[in-house]
Every structure is written in C-alpha cells, then in structure tokens.
Amino acid sequence: MAKTKQFKTESKKLLDLMINSIYTHREIFLRELISNASDAIDKRHYLALTDADKADDYEMFIALDNDKRTLTLSDNGIGFTEEELINNLGTIARSGSKEFKEGLENADIEIIGQFGVGFYSAFMVSKKVTVITKSVNSEQAYKWTSDGTSNYTISEAEKDDFGTDIILELRDNNEENEENYDDYLSEYFVKKLVKKYSDYVRYPIKMDVTKTDYPEDKDEKPITYMETETLNSMIPLWRRNKSEIKDDEYNDFYKHQFNDFDDPLKVIHSKVEGMITYTSLLFIPKKAPFDLYSEKFEKGLQLYSKGVFIMDKNKELIPDYFRFVRGLVDSSDLSLNLSREMLQHDRHLKKIAANVEKKIKSELEKMQKNDRESYNELYKTYGINLKYGIYEGYGINKELLQDLIMFKTTKSDEYVTLKEYTDNMDKKQKVIYYASGKSKDSILALPQMDLIKDKDYEVLLFTDDIDEFMVNILMKYDDKEFKSINQGDLDLIDKKDEKVLDKLSKEKESLLQALKAGLSEKVTDVKLSKRLKDSPVCLVSGEGLSMEMEKVLKNMPNSKDAKATKILEINPNHEIFKTLEKVYETNPDKITKYAKILYSQALLIEGLPLENPVEFSNLMIEFMIDKVE
Ligand code: ADP
C-alpha cells in the first residue's frame, strides 16, 4: 500500500526557492545526485571493510530514455531504508538548524547554500522524481515518488540489488524562458556535464553511448551500436599533478566538497614521499564558518586511503589553533581496516598530523612575507585562534606561533609582527611595550604614555581580550621582555633621575603613607611616578593580574573575585604635588579627600567604574565651592 505524506514546511519553501532562484545553473543537479551516489557507495564500502558484504564493482550508471523523457541515475551504494527515505528525503530537518530556518525565512540564499540541499535540486529539471532503493540493512525495497510540490508517496517495490535508482521525469521545455530540458537526454551533453563537474569522482560513472563505425567502403552504410563507457577519469583532483591543475579546478573542488560559496583564500596542495607517503590538499576559507567559535564546531580533515574515503572530520589531523583549515589527507600508509578508534592512535597518522601542522605554519609564514595583503585578511578572520594557540597548554606552542601573530601599534595602523617591532626598536629601548585599550587614540591619551611618547617608543595595541593572557605566557620575544605601560616599573628614566626620585620618595614617605591610608584598602601603594611627564596621576597594577585582565575575568562566570592590585602614582613634577605637600602641612585632615579625588580620576582615565560616584560628586562640589570662597 502506498503511503502519501506531506513534506515538512521548510522543504516546501525550499523547493519553491530552489526551483525559482537558487541555482542559476540548473545543470548542477546532476553533480549533486552523483555526489550523493558516490557518498552512498562510500558508506557501503566502509561497511564492507568491517562486514563480509562486498560488492565487486562499485559504480554509477546513467540511463537516458528519449521516449519516456527520463534520466535515471543508479548506484550500488548503501541504499535507503524506509525510515531513511522519510527522514532524508521527506524533510530537511537534518539541516534544520536555526540558521538554516532563518535563511529560509529571509530567503537568504547564501545561508541556504551553506547547507547541502543536493537531492532537491533534482526538481529544478524534473516534474516528477522516483527513487527506487534497497538498503543493505533491509530485505525490502521501496519506492518514493514526488512531483516536488507538497507531498510524496512511499510504497514497497521490487529491486534485486542493493542501491538506489533515481528516475527523473524531465520537465517540459519552456520556450518562454528558453529552458530546454531535452539537453539532459543528449548523450553528448550529459557526458560533458559529468566531465565538467564529476570527473574526479572515485567510482566509475557509466553510460551506454552510441558509437558509429564507418566502413572503409564508402558505399556501405555506417554501423551504429551502443557501448558502455566510463565517463569520468576517476582520478581525484589531489592525486593529479599540481602543475596540471588550474586555480579554477581547485576552487570548484573546494566549493563543492566543502559547501562554500566563496573561493578559498589559500590552497595548499602537497605530496610527501619518504618515510611516510601522503598527499594533503588544504584550504583556508575566506570567511570563517558561523560556528567556528562555538563549542559545537567540529574541526578536522577528511581522511582517504588511496583515494578511498575513510572518514569526514579527523580531529587528530589538525591542531586547535588551525581549526579553520579545511581539506583532506590521502595516504596509502594507513591501513584501511582499522577501526576509527584505532586510527586515532595510528603512528602514521600522528606523523602526518605533525607534518601538516608544520606545512600550514610555513605556508602562513610565506604568505605573511610575500603576500601581506592576503595574510592581513586571513589574520583579521583567524588571528585570534593563533593567539589562543599560544595561550593554551601553558605555551607549548609559543615557538611555533609567535611569528604568525601581529598587532597594530601606536605608530602603525597596519599589522606589525613581533620581529618587525623588535627590528624597529630604538637602541636604548630594552623591552617590548604594550597597552590595552579600545583604540589607538584612547591609548595615546593615557597618562601612562607620557614618557613613552616623549622617547618616541612604539607600543603594541592590545585590543583582544586574550592578548594580555597570551603575553603572560609568551613572556619574551627575541630575549626581550614584554611590558605593559601600566604595570610594574618601565625603565624609562635614567639612573641619575631615578636616584633623585628615590630620595624624594623617602623624604615624602609620610605624605605618601597618609594618602595611602586615606584610600584604605583600595590601593596597595601610593608612589611617586617614574612614567608621568605632564599628567598629574595614574593608576597602575602591581605584579600578576592586570586591571585589563581583571575586566575580562569579571565578565566570565565563576571568577568574580579575581582582583588586580592597584598602585596610585603621583607625578612629583606636577603642580598638584606641591598642593598636596601644602595641604599635608597645613591641613592634614583634608588629605584623605584629595586622595579620594585623585584616585577616582585615575579610575575614570583607566575606563574603570567609580566605586562611589555619589561621594566623588559631593567631593567635587565641595572643592568647587571652596575655590570660589
Ligand atoms: P546532503 O547530501 O547534503 O546530506 P541531500 O538532500 O542531497 O542532502 O540528501 C539527503 C540524504 O539522503 C543524504 O545525506 C543521504 O543520507 C541520503 N541520500 C541521498 N542520495 C542517496 C543515495 N543515492 N543513496 C543513499 N542515500 C542517499
């Protein structure tokens, strides 16, 4: 008995969209169906590695019937069970993620394109599609039919062999919009399509083609007959010679294999022979996938053995910090009959992974050197991964990654590498300076920049949350320490001046202590500053956690009590210092109020919230009134 079922709503919408707009090239339907068929054979082949079931000849077959106006694609792959027919062809729930549905609602073709909608493309050229299939997991064969409008039917069917036949009843030609569906009944045209889109498919795609023999004797009639021909060369793109592969071929392969709309930013194709033999074909996508930074994201490379697909996302092949790299590895050294679990511990696989990592690194370095524009684009999209890579695992990968990271600086609006920074350092400059902040302007305006600006030193701009955490792991580059402009001592003044200042600090000890007492627990110290020139005060942090890190940690769950130690620095050469001295002499009770105002101002400059805005406001008012009297 045939059962009639409704497509899920999303499917209906998708069909409409697809038929009317998505693909301007209707001909790609064949590529989509062939790719599904090839996957189905892969699946059966994979089962056969562990089970006894073994088909001798995996293949696809295309049959054209001019009378019935049908194109049939048959495969001897894994087939569909009844349930799979319903789940896989009756709904697009597998792609039913939120983004996909939103895409449908807004008819956002880009988003839809990121999901496989392969099978449905058959309706772009067909008025009716019939699927006759028998799964290796089922005794019974089934038939699925639909005209692609709103429902489909499923019934039991007869089929001897495992696999699937997809029968497309082509649409009528439409003179109005010049669509000629008869093309898909032409041997010549179909051959061309297979060559164009599916040449590297690993299994033979066969078709009966018309051959003509012309007898030598011109009077005799030519003889025509049918012969089965394999239409594709079956050599996977990555197994071909690099020099023979055109950019377009790489790009098309990437877009189709990895469901992307854009050409890749970079293609890395390498063949390695020796201790271990493998080919890798890697791509760096132009745009990061929408879920790259979510926990759900699955990194990994496809794994093949001698051109035969083994698995889709092998995690071991790619380190976390290169998670944005897509692609595949094909190695004859991997034993095919290993289980997936065993594969993870495979010695060869580990070696390949190490090589792949090195290769990516060296290619990125080359790009950084020779094609900075592309590297900048890549860095903007993926740089944060590299920074995390340095931070993770207590820095075991810092050597590997430190030359790949870049920063904008107080002197450069373009990204600068650490090497470029240190090469440009003033001879007298001993350390690498960095400053956290929202923008170059806000950093340049900080009082902590006074003397650094005076000396014309360059400062790296830290704008990502991870930056300070990363640099705490990195610690040094080229033997030069990293120093935050508002943490610890900066080494900016010469020994003589430093002595004078230390002496002054001793003399003014009791004033400084009084200021500190006035701020009770808020600061760990009040000091005369060695980094200010024109500004009156600034707030810096002591060793360990910085104020920037405190801000970041505050926004994370469970780390509310992480606190930076704060030190209030006062500029001894500023007018305010004389005032403080005077107040302390004549009216020491008032010193606490001065301390509070100065501290609040330093907080504001740092972009930190005032702890007690009402008190601060009242103090300001009090001082303003005082002044006028
Ligand atoms: P996608 O291939 O992107 O997952 P499709 O709509 O093209 O989406 O196919 C839906 C699913 O139907 C596939 O994922 C696969 O499980 C199954 N399928 C499609 N074609 C075949 C086939 N020829 N044999 C077996 N299963 C198939």
Side-chain angles (χ1 to χ4, degrees), residues 27 118 150 174 208 370 392 425 467 559 621:
E27 63 186 33
S150 61
N174 185 340
D208 285 341
N370 306 328
E392 273 160 4
M425 264 166 68
D467 287 340
S559 39
I621 295 286

Side-chain angles (χ1 to χ4, degrees), residues 261-519:
F261 257 73
D262 294 307
D263 289 342
L265 187 67
K266 173 97 190 142
V267 180
I268 308 169
H269 187 187
S270 40
K271 294 189 181 200
V272 177
E273 272 167 27
M275 291 275 282
I276 185 150
T277 301
Y278 70 91
T279 298
S280 61
L281 179 54
L282 310 174
F283 301 95
I284 300 177
K286 209 168 262 170
K287 293 197 195 111
F290 64 89
D291 59 350
L292 183 65
Y293 298 107
S294 86
E295 274 181 29
K296 276 187 287 166
F297 181 79
E298 280 184 80
K299 60 164 187 168
L301 300 180
Q302 294 183 340
L303 193 57
Y304 293 81
S305 175
K306 299 195 191 99
V308 176
F309 175 83
I310 303 182
M311 68 185 292
D312 191 28
K313 286 192 171 158
N314 186 296
K315 287 206 279 284
E316 329 298 315
L317 279 172
I318 204 97
D320 264 345
Y321 40 87
F322 292 149
R323 68 210 316 234
F324 51 88
V325 177
R326 315 212 55 184
L328 57 92
V329 163
D330 186 350
S331 172
S332 47
D333 292 336
L334 296 170
S335 34
L336 256 182
N337 48 6
L338 283 179
S339 75
R340 282 168 203 230
E341 284 75 8
M342 296 273 291
L343 208 52
Q344 283 173 13
H345 307 293
D346 192 85
R347 205 160 45 86
H348 289 307
L349 203 66
K350 287 222 162 76
K351 276 224 184 82
I352 296 176
N355 281 356
V356 164
E357 178 183 45
K358 253 191 263 155
K359 180 72 188 169
I360 297 173
K361 183 203 167 180
S362 74
E363 285 296 319
L364 292 184
E365 268 175 351
K366 251 192 258 165
M367 200 169 159
Q368 187 192 57
K369 219 165 114 209
N370 306 328
D371 181 7
R372 185 53 81 87
E373 212 174 299
S374 301
Y375 190 73
N376 283 343
E377 198 182 331
L378 178 149
Y379 191 75
K380 249 188 248 155
T381 316
Y382 304 115
I384 211 154
N385 285 281
L386 307 176
K387 292 177 179 174
Y388 269 102
I390 291 176
Y391 173 71
E392 273 160 4
Y394 305 103
I396 44 170
N397 296 304
K398 64 182 180 185
E399 296 283 319
L400 183 99
L401 297 171
Q402 61 185 2
D403 285 309
L404 295 177
I405 58 170
M406 307 192 292
F407 298 92
K408 293 188 177 163
T409 77
T410 46
K411 288 188 178 179
S412 164
D413 291 333
E414 296 292 329
Y415 286 117
V416 166
T417 65
L418 293 175
K419 174 97 177 45
E420 287 158 354
Y421 177 94
T422 47
D423 283 351
N424 268 333
M425 264 166 68
D426 188 289
K427 267 188 230 73
K428 281 197 233 107
Q429 187 186 338
K430 302 269 181 336
V431 297
I432 301 169
Y433 292 108
Y434 66 85
S436 295
K438 283 199 187 63
S439 66
K440 177 169 153 180
D441 286 343
S442 67
I443 286 170
L444 282 174
L446 287 174
Q448 288 89 334
M449 287 291 293
D450 277 2
L451 274 182
I452 291 185
K453 276 194 286 196
D454 211 41
K455 301 216 176 237
D456 199 30
Y457 289 167
E458 187 170 21
V459 177
L460 302 176
L461 306 181
F462 278 12
T463 45
D464 286 328
D465 282 353
I466 182 73
D467 287 340
E468 285 205 19
F469 294 89
M470 176 205 67
V471 98
N472 265 290
I473 297 282
L474 201 51
M475 292 197 329
K476 279 182 182 180
Y477 178 83
D478 188 24
D479 263 344
K480 294 173 183 72
E481 266 181 61
F482 286 91
K483 266 215 181 299
S484 162
I485 60 152
N486 59 359
Q487 193 167 25
D489 271 337
L490 285 194
D491 209 12
L492 288 169
I493 56 175
D494 56 38
K495 288 273 166 295
K496 207 179 81 217
D497 292 341
E498 193 163 9
K499 264 205 189 116
V500 175
L501 206 64
D502 287 344
K503 198 165 149 244
L504 186 64
S505 293
K506 282 230 176 69
E507 285 167 23
K508 301 297 168 191
E509 171 100 37
S510 66
L511 165 61
L512 296 174
Q513 284 302 324
L515 287 164
K516 184 181 163 189
L519 293 173

Side-chain angles (χ1 to χ4, degrees), residues 32-33 36-37 39-40 43 75 77-80 84 88-89 94 115-120 133 164 166 259:
E32 298 294 314
L33 296 184
N36 279 350
D39 290 348
K43 284 179 197 156
D75 67 67
I78 194 160
F80 290 83
E84 282 165 351
N88 294 342
L89 300 187
R94 286 166 308 103
F115 298 87
V117 285
F119 174 78
Y120 288 83
T133 183
T164 304
I166 296 183
N259 282 321

